[in-house]
Amino acid sequence: MRALSLRDIAIMITFVLGFFIIFEYFVKWPEVNTMASNITQACTVIAGLATIVGVGNLTRIHIRNLTRRGPNYLHSIVLLCAIWIPLVIGIMYTRKTPSYVYLYNNVYGPISNAFFAVLAFYILSGAYRAFRARTFDSFILMLAAILVFLGNAPVTGNLWAGFDPLGSWILNVPNTAGYRGVIIGTAIGQTVLAVRVLLGRELGYLAQKRE
Amino acid sequence: MTLRKIERLDPRYLFLILLVVASIPMIIPLGLPMKAGALTEKAYLIIESLPPESVVVIDACMSAGYGPELQTQFVALLRHLLSRPLKVVIVSFGTEGPMLFDMALKGGLISGPKVDLEKYGKVYGVDWVYLGYIPGGETAFASFARDSWMTKVDDENTPLDELPIMQYCKNIDDWSLSITVTGGSFEQYIAQWSAAYGTTLIMGVPGVSAPRLFPYVATGQLAAMLVSLRGAGEYELLIKQPGLGAQLMDILNLTQLLIVLSVIIGNILYFAGRLGGQK
Amino acid sequence: MISIISNRVIVLLFTVGSFAVLIYLMFYVGERRKKIFHIKRLPPIDAIEEAVGRCVELGRPMHFTPGTATLTRMEAPGTIAGIAILGYVARLAARLGVRLIATCQMPETYPLVRETVRESFITEGKIDYYNDEDVIYMPQVKAAAGLMQREHVGANFLMGGFWHEGLVLAEAGAIAGAINIGGIAAPVATIPFLVICCDYCLMGEELYAASAYITKDPVLTSTIAGQDYIKVACVVLILIGTILSTMGLTQFASLFAV
């Protein structure tokens, strides 16, 4: 009998914990429910620790770029300051520290907003480029999108009272029906993938192929 | 040739057009008319019809990325809750919730004018409380429903047994209404609060996520929804306290109409090009 | 005192039944009988080779991202499926000598992405061509969009879980002149965005079927067959419930209320 490898141990942990959490969902057993809750919280904490890996990776790459005077090394300085200054301030002081609040409200907040606002520009360019009625299906898609947009714009209710109910009908009936079908199909697919992972037949999460 | 050039327009020209169109209402406020949609009105009526002294739990789970979309919804809901004789328990399951909650109270660029607590005559610890950030995601939602005292202290580290309001809020059975203003984890809230315990749940959601939640509205698992900036603007009109949401509605109107126009023009050019090519 | 939660009994029975069907198909039909179920053609997967070939001809790199979902939420299976496809794309890249830039937006997926790409290059015997600096942790998706435009990528693969950023990445790829191949199962709300903006897109359970389609492995194809059998059972239950509820008999539907 060969010795257990790290991979085997990882598969066993996945099997035991995975089926335990599934079992816990169906039973009312205080000790089991509490243990499952604690395990899930522990997993959340472990996943949070992965942030350290990401921050470490970014720091390593950009310090290397900086020391070698690589391309855009000044940008690396900005990035390193952007990561470490708020981190240090946040850890050393509370979130109510004026400097932390200033950084959040005047630097992080507006930049985050701007990043999300970029979506509007890409929606416009995507709508202009991609909403072409090349086939009957794409014509229906385009028509539905136009009607929902017109229903969503509050002012169009004053042009024709029917835009809002029509847009709402599209969202409540065909959209809901389609989403339900996709949600059920996706959920079944997730279940199947979960079974493959729990039984050790899918090793993508270990960055390994199945033999 | 010109038509083809316009059809394959460099996207940066489109970005410029959008920038100009979105800037117009900021310089010349248009005040385009609007009326509240059915879901927003339903959310308003649910809160308006709560008996006095009802416990309402509201989760400030916004993030700066969603900007004024969620922040204005939260501010509008908070104003309405504070204007009624209710017990409001505020909590944050998202990491940025506490920062944005502070911004809501003090006022800010994406928040609009501050929520003037003195105007509502509410006493902290008696009429409302903020429990701070609770980490853990779905596990935290489930745990908080089972035990609303799980944090032991509020955001200012005051023990919960020193806050009279918390005597009325031990677990989800004491909640008359739960509200969450969030950019994600929608199904988890529905699963852990509404589906598990049957509590009435209202959500404030970004526009991109609304279509996926209509099935839950249809089944009643989600009682009502504020969708995007429009929901916030409509809600401000319903509570007769216009704020940033109502101010930004003009921009929303014009940009949505611009997108519709771009789809129509793109298709006209496409078919004109095909017909020209066939000739 | 142990008890089964009463309003979850039917769900428990359905779950046990589904698991039983899947285990039978995997271990008996797939592993012992080695039966390979036919999976319908998935054009996005066939297009992967076409896209890689395009990059070879144009001399441009490819970009791959497994999405912005974590490994701890309901979008995790999509991320795992995306990483499985990354392995396939990385092997093609190594074989044909195309530069592959892999970006990931979540820190916990970064080690998996890096190891997957590295293992793929080792499998193809091209470890010397593997560049650690081409696997990048980029917390902000817009940075990946900028990278695609600076590097003039020839193909852009978006396989995993995306929120609104999926649209940004797909559009950025289109602006850079890349062929966009997407795949998304959850969150469901982003599927329309990727379908519109990508040249090819795997939707929903097609993403989970992709690794079975690529490898033609008997065990994996058996699980896809099991997926379809469970779906048929769901359709039958929905039809029965709909007919009975329409007739005013809601007891059947209320059995499934959780």
Side-chain angles (χ1 to χ4, degrees):
Chain A
M1 186 169 136
R2 65 177 176 88
L4 288 176
S5 66
L6 280 177
R7 189 184 94 159
D8 295 332
I9 294 172
I11 293 172
M12 278 165 52
I13 292 173
T14 307
F15 176 84
V16 169
L17 289 184
F19 277 104
F20 178 74
I21 298 293
I22 293 171
F23 169 71
E24 182 271 338
Y25 178 76
F26 293 105
V27 299
K28 202 176 260 187
W29 187 348
E31 289 82 12
V32 167
N33 297 139
T34 307
M35 192 188 285
S37 179
N38 291 338
I39 288 170
T40 316
Q41 284 182 2
C43 291
T44 307
V45 170
I46 292 168
L49 290 175
T51 310
I52 298 174
V53 172
V55 169
N57 170 257
L58 275 179
T59 305
R60 179 178 65 96
I61 289 174
H62 287 277
I63 285 181
R64 194 193 306 171
N65 193 41
L66 187 57
T67 50
R68 290 180 188 171
R69 293 287 191 269
N72 301 314
Y73 72 93
L74 291 174
H75 297 170
S76 294
I77 298 175
V78 173
L79 184 135
L80 289 167
C81 290
I83 292 176
W84 286 100
I85 292 175
L87 190 62
V88 168
I89 293 175
I91 290 172
M92 287 175 63
Y93 307 102
T94 67
R95 75 162 204 272
K96 297 192 190 221
T97 314
S99 50
Y100 192 85
V101 172
Y102 181 86
L103 280 174
Y104 185 87
N105 289 349
N106 298 291
V107 180
Y108 174 78
I111 291 174
S112 272
N113 293 164
F115 277 149
F116 197 75
V118 158
L119 182 63
F121 296 94
Y122 282 112
I123 285 178
L124 179 65
S125 76
Y128 184 76
R129 181 182 65 86
F131 267 121
R132 299 290 159 87
R134 291 188 182 91
T135 61
F136 181 69
D137 292 342
S138 55
F139 169 73
I140 297 293
L141 179 65
M142 182 197 75
L143 190 64
I146 289 175
L147 289 172
V148 171
F149 268 119
L150 291 174
N152 271 341
V155 71
T156 54
N158 296 287
L159 297 171
W160 179 49
F163 279 127
D164 201 15
L166 194 54
S168 297
W169 179 84
I170 291 174
L171 287 171
N172 284 322
V173 182
N175 166 73
T176 299
Y179 262 114
R180 280 182 178 152
V182 175
I183 286 170
I184 291 171
T186 304
I188 294 170
Q190 285 175 335
T191 305
V192 167
L193 187 65
V195 169
R196 283 188 349 217
V197 167
L198 291 177
L199 296 178
R201 290 296 185 268
E202 178 69 55
L203 298 177
Y205 68 102
L206 295 175
Q208 301 211 354
K209 290 185 312 183
R210 198 175 73 87
E211 280 136 24
Chain B
M1 185 62 187
T2 313
L3 279 179
R4 192 180 250 188
K5 261 192 182 171
I6 300 173
E7 194 199 335
R8 288 170 196 194
L9 194 64
D10 189 325
R12 287 171 291 185
Y13 288 111
L14 291 169
F15 298 164
L16 188 59
I17 293 169
L18 178 61
L19 191 62
V20 168
V21 166
S23 304
I24 292 171
M26 287 193 249
I27 302 164
I28 314 166
L30 302 171
L32 296 169
M34 60 184 221
K35 72 181 189 75
L39 283 174
T40 312
E41 208 167 328
K42 196 171 173 200
Y44 170 80
L45 289 171
I46 288 172
I47 295 177
E48 194 62 20
S49 61
L50 284 172
E53 308 300 308
S54 298
V55 173
V56 178
V57 170
I58 178 166
D59 169 26
C61 198
M62 301 81 70
S63 58
Y66 286 106
E69 251 191 323
L70 297 185
Q71 188 69 353
T72 46
Q73 289 174 3
F74 177 75
V75 167
L77 286 163
L78 188 62
R79 286 183 200 277
H80 191 199
L81 291 170
L82 291 174
S83 67
R84 294 216 59 233
L86 303 169
K87 304 233 174 273
V88 184
V89 176
I90 308 164
V91 69
S92 292
F93 292 105
T95 48
E96 294 184 50
M99 298 302 296
L100 290 166
F101 173 71
D102 291 343
M103 190 191 286
L105 294 187
K106 291 177 191 151
L109 206 59
I110 61 170
S111 215
K114 68 175 188 176
V115 178
D116 190 355
L117 293 164
E118 285 178 8
K119 173 183 157 189
Y120 301 105
K122 300 294 180 180
V123 178
Y124 184 83
V126 176
D127 302 304
W128 73 282
V129 67
Y130 180 51
L131 300 179
Y133 168 56
I134 304 178
E138 189 174 358
T139 320
F141 311 157
S143 301
F144 188 72
R146 281 196 291 266
D147 176 15
S148 301
W149 282 47
M150 62 182 281
T151 58
K152 306 284 189 281
V153 294
D154 74 345
D155 191 48
E156 301 291 334
N157 281 324
T158 309
L160 295 185
D161 50 17
E162 292 178 20
L163 299 169
I165 185 176
M166 291 308 293
Q167 302 304 324
Y168 299 92
C169 181
K170 298 283 172 65
N171 54 51
I172 198 167
D173 293 330
D174 298 325
W175 307 358
S176 300
L177 173 66
S178 55
I179 305 174
T180 177
V181 182
T182 178
S185 302
F186 311 105
E187 287 85 358
Q188 286 86 329
Y189 283 103
I190 292 170
Q192 297 300 340
W193 288 0
S194 169
Y197 297 96
T199 190
T200 308
L201 178 63
I202 295 175
M203 275 192 178
V205 303
V208 296
S209 307
R212 84 196 244 200
L213 295 171
F214 280 95
Y216 300 105
V217 176
T219 56
Q221 288 167 312
L222 194 49
M225 211 164 42
L226 265 63
V227 177
S228 172
L229 191 62
R230 178 184 174 171
E234 291 169 351
Y235 207 86
E236 286 169 3
L237 291 182
L238 286 170
I239 61 172
K240 297 185 177 55
Q241 298 184 50
L244 187 62
Q247 283 176 35
L248 297 177
M249 291 302 280
D250 286 343
I251 299 176
L252 187 69
N253 276 313
L254 290 185
T255 50
Q256 299 239 0
L257 291 173
L258 175 64
I259 291 172
V260 171
L261 201 62
S262 70
V263 171
I264 293 170
I265 291 175
N267 277 281
I268 290 171
L269 292 169
Y270 170 70
F271 284 110
R274 274 184 70 175
L275 285 171
Q278 281 173 4
K279 281 185 192 163
Chain C
M1 178 67 184
I2 309 159
S3 62
I4 296 177
I5 299 174
S6 57
N7 60 351
R8 293 179 188 172
V9 172
I10 298 292
V11 177
L12 175 61
L13 291 173
F14 191 83
T15 305
V16 169
S18 305
F19 277 28
V21 165
L22 288 170
I23 289 170
Y24 167 75
L25 285 167
M26 276 168 60
F27 289 104
Y28 181 69
V29 176
E31 217 164 83
R32 191 176 291 188
R33 286 174 46 195
K34 303 264 189 258
K35 177 175 178 177
I36 300 176
F37 285 86
H38 169 71
I39 296 179
K40 71 164 194 195
R41 201 175 148 258
L42 292 174
I45 301 296
D46 296 338
I48 290 177
E49 281 202 40
E50 175 195 324
V52 177
R54 182 175 186 264
C55 291
V56 171
E57 284 167 15
L58 295 173
R60 284 155 68 168
M62 308 189 288
H63 170 256
F64 190 107
T65 174
T68 51
T70 69
L71 289 174
T72 55
R73 288 162 47 149
M74 59 180 271
E75 296 84 18
T79 306
I80 293 174
I83 290 174
I85 298 172
L86 169 63
Y88 172 62
V89 171
R91 284 198 302 279
L92 283 177
R95 196 179 304 159
L96 298 173
V98 179
R99 183 180 167 214
L100 172 65
I101 305 170
T103 61
C104 52
Q105 280 74 47
M106 298 308 290
E108 59 258 39
T109 55
Y110 171 73
L112 298 186
V113 168
R114 202 177 80 156
E115 276 314 298
T116 301
V117 175
R118 197 168 158 274
E119 286 294 322
S120 300
F121 274 73
I122 290 174
T123 306
E124 293 293 325
K126 300 278 181 77
I127 187 60
D128 293 336
Y129 292 90
Y130 168 70
N131 184 358
D132 205 35
E133 294 189 358
D134 278 344
V135 181
I136 312 166
Y137 164 57
M138 275 190 168
Q140 253 303 339
V141 147
K142 283 72 175 181
L147 175 87
M148 277 194 273
Q149 288 172 330
R150 283 193 302 278
E151 298 286 350
H152 299 290
V153 296
N156 181 26
F157 299 95
L158 316 167
M159 301 275 184
F162 296 90
W163 279 268
H164 65 277
E165 310 90 11
L167 175 76
V168 174
L169 287 169
E171 266 307 293
I175 291 170
I179 180 171
N180 283 318
I181 301 177
I184 177 167
V188 172
T190 322
I191 293 178
F193 288 128
L194 285 195
V195 167
I196 293 293
C197 295
C198 289
D199 299 293
Y200 299 90
C201 189
L202 293 165
M203 287 193 294
E205 61 267 32
E206 289 176 349
L207 180 66
Y208 305 129
S211 55
Y213 182 82
I214 291 167
T215 59
K216 302 279 191 286
D217 180 271
V219 172
L220 295 182
T221 57
S222 301
T223 60
I224 303 306
Q227 187 174 301
D228 286 345
Y229 294 150
I230 297 170
K231 213 184 300 182
V232 167
C234 287
V235 168
V236 168
L237 289 171
I238 289 169
L239 282 173
I240 295 172
T242 306
I243 292 167
L244 290 176
S245 296
T246 309
M247 289 162 57
L249 304 165
T250 56
Q251 293 87 342
F252 183 78
S254 60
L255 279 177
F256 294 87
V258 175

